[in-house]
Amino acid sequence: MTTLWTTPIDWETQDAITAEKLNAISDNLQYLMTPNFGVATMRGTGSNQTTASGTFVDLDPATYSLDVELTGLRAVKFSLLGIITHSVGGSSVRFDVLIDGTTYLSSLTATPLVNGVSVLTLPAGELPTVYFEVIVPAGVIAAGRRNFRPVWSTTAATATWYEISSSFSQFRAGEY
Amino acid sequence: MALLWTTPEIWVAKEPITKERLTAIETNLSYLHAPTREIITLSTGSNQTFTSTSYVDLDPTNYDLSIEITGDAPLLVELEGVISNSTLAALTYLDVMIDNLNYLSSFTVTPVTNGLWRASAFVANHLVPVNLKAYVPAGTLAAGVHTFKPKIKVSAGTTTWYENAYWSQFSVGE
């Protein structure tokens, strides 16, 4: 079970020092050591993903969909690292993150920014690594269990995200 | 020397509250305030060049890190800098070797082909940023001292890693 943060006690003179109060300190220490976040890593054991969609669609929900319980009291960090390519030179690939299936990270609304949180224009056939990192201040995303999924789109033709045996990829979301 | 973390106590009613147990709380607070992290930053070094098609050390004189970890928190491995390659469409690959044995990309002695980071020379000799950040979940590496070395290889041409008048940084920490 995930340990969650509780607001530290304001101690008063002659308060009883109980096991429960001391354990609350222990739980908070443990939470600070390992705040809630999820990491999905592919070490060359997946299948390449493709999209020809001009609007954002899931990158690979079976792999990268993360459920994370948030306290709502700490900043939330998102990062995505992986290798992409495109069948048509000069085409762009865009990335965003969908929160709870309804809200895009780029806009924090139901309508994403056109270029999401990251965009890259590629020469045909090249396979560079892409990486983005976004931090959302504490309190913006409400406390509770949240679902985070990377989504992507392309301006033309077909983009490919590499998960086959040659490639490493990683999606991370949570408090830090 | 880094203060190291100890698992917080599970207190039981009527247990004595000793100074050792209270000090353990203080020690953990200090660790959380300044968790273990080693950072190497260069901007006045010598540029490094590479033509090897198998992994070699990026700059062992500067970038080899040794760090003591608790094993109870996730690790973040970061490498940032600038590269170029002399040959159009040539590829540069970066990975990190742990304890002179396993590659971070695969956690085995054999790295995944594309490593942690792969950069294409869209234009020969053009500068390309590297912004590699990889997480290692808590418990993956045992508590204790571990070494981390960035590694590099190329598909063709000569790759330059810039350390002279360019900013670069390698860091590992919880």
Side-chain angles (χ1 to χ4, degrees):
Chain A
M1 178 184 157
T2 305
T3 301
L4 279 182
W5 174 263
T6 54
T7 303
I9 294 173
D10 284 332
W11 295 83
E12 302 286 346
T13 304
Q14 297 185 341
D15 268 356
I17 303 173
T18 65
E20 289 75 17
K21 289 177 172 177
L22 293 171
N23 283 331
I25 295 174
S26 292
D27 287 345
N28 280 351
L29 287 169
Q30 187 62 55
Y31 184 77
L32 292 171
M33 183 65 167
T34 53
N36 290 348
F37 68 88
V39 178
T41 304
M42 294 297 287
R43 301 180 189 279
T45 56
S47 301
N48 289 349
Q49 308 293 310
T50 60
T51 187
S53 176
T55 57
F56 284 112
V57 294
D58 279 321
L59 177 57
D60 179 0
T63 298
Y64 298 122
S65 178
L66 297 176
D67 291 311
V68 181
E69 181 124 12
L70 302 181
T71 67
L73 301 172
R74 285 171 72 99
V76 180
K77 182 188 284 186
F78 301 87
S79 65
L80 179 69
L81 182 150
I83 292 174
I84 58 172
T85 190
H86 205 289
S87 59
V88 175
S91 301
S92 296
V93 184
R94 302 153 170 154
F95 293 93
D96 210 323
V97 175
L98 193 55
I99 303 171
D100 290 337
T102 58
T103 302
Y104 288 90
L105 177 59
S106 63
S107 61
L108 293 174
T109 73
T111 304
L113 297 182
V114 171
N115 288 313
V117 295
S118 182
V119 61
L120 179 66
T121 301
L122 290 168
E126 298 285 359
L127 290 83
T129 298
V130 294
Y131 179 81
F132 73 75
E133 183 174 290
V134 175
I135 296 173
V136 178
V140 174
I141 302 176
R145 190 171 181 81
R146 300 280 167 253
N147 177 261
F148 304 111
R149 305 198 311 263
V151 293
W152 65 332
S153 68
T154 181
T155 55
T158 302
T160 300
W161 173 268
Y162 277 74
E163 294 180 12
I164 58 170
S165 59
S166 60
S167 300
F168 173 95
S169 61
Q170 188 171 70
F171 175 59
R172 178 197 186 280
E175 296 183 342
Y176 80 105
Chain B
M1 176 182 161
L3 293 169
L4 283 183
W5 169 264
T6 55
T7 302
E9 294 237 22
I10 298 174
W11 297 81
V12 177
K14 298 183 180 177
E15 279 187 333
I17 302 170
T18 65
K19 70 174 184 178
E20 288 78 12
R21 300 171 91 176
L22 293 174
T23 299
I25 294 173
E26 305 286 4
T27 303
N28 279 348
L29 283 170
S30 292
Y31 184 78
L32 292 168
H33 185 64
T36 298
R37 175 159 289 276
E38 297 292 337
I39 303 171
I40 300 294
T41 304
L42 296 173
S43 61
T44 58
S46 301
N47 294 344
Q48 309 291 312
T49 58
F50 304 93
T51 57
S52 175
T53 55
S54 57
Y55 278 117
V56 296
D57 289 338
L58 180 59
D59 180 354
T61 301
N62 290 305
Y63 288 128
D64 287 9
L65 289 181
S66 178
I67 182 171
E68 183 169 10
I69 64 171
T70 68
D72 291 335
L75 273 182
L76 176 58
V77 179
E78 302 182 71
L79 178 66
E80 299 189 54
V82 176
I83 60 174
S84 68
N85 188 287
S86 60
T87 301
L88 176 66
L91 303 170
T92 302
Y93 306 88
L94 291 157
D95 210 320
V96 173
M97 180 171 271
I98 303 171
D99 295 333
N100 292 315
L101 180 66
N102 290 324
Y103 287 88
L104 179 52
S105 65
S106 63
F107 263 108
T108 71
V109 298
T110 305
V112 298
T113 305
N114 288 323
L116 293 172
W117 189 272
R118 165 179 161 142
S120 300
F122 296 155
V123 179
N125 295 314
H126 274 205
L127 301 174
V128 177
V130 172
N131 181 23
L132 191 173
K133 298 185 182 186
Y135 289 88
V136 181
T140 304
L141 289 174
V145 176
H146 295 274
T147 63
F148 295 84
K149 291 181 180 179
K151 311 286 276 189
I152 189 168
K153 68 177 182 178
V154 303
S155 67
T158 299
T159 287
T160 300
W161 172 267
Y162 292 88
E163 295 180 8
N164 183 7
Y166 290 82
W167 186 89
S168 66
Q169 187 172 77
F170 180 53
S171 72
V172 179
E174 293 187 327

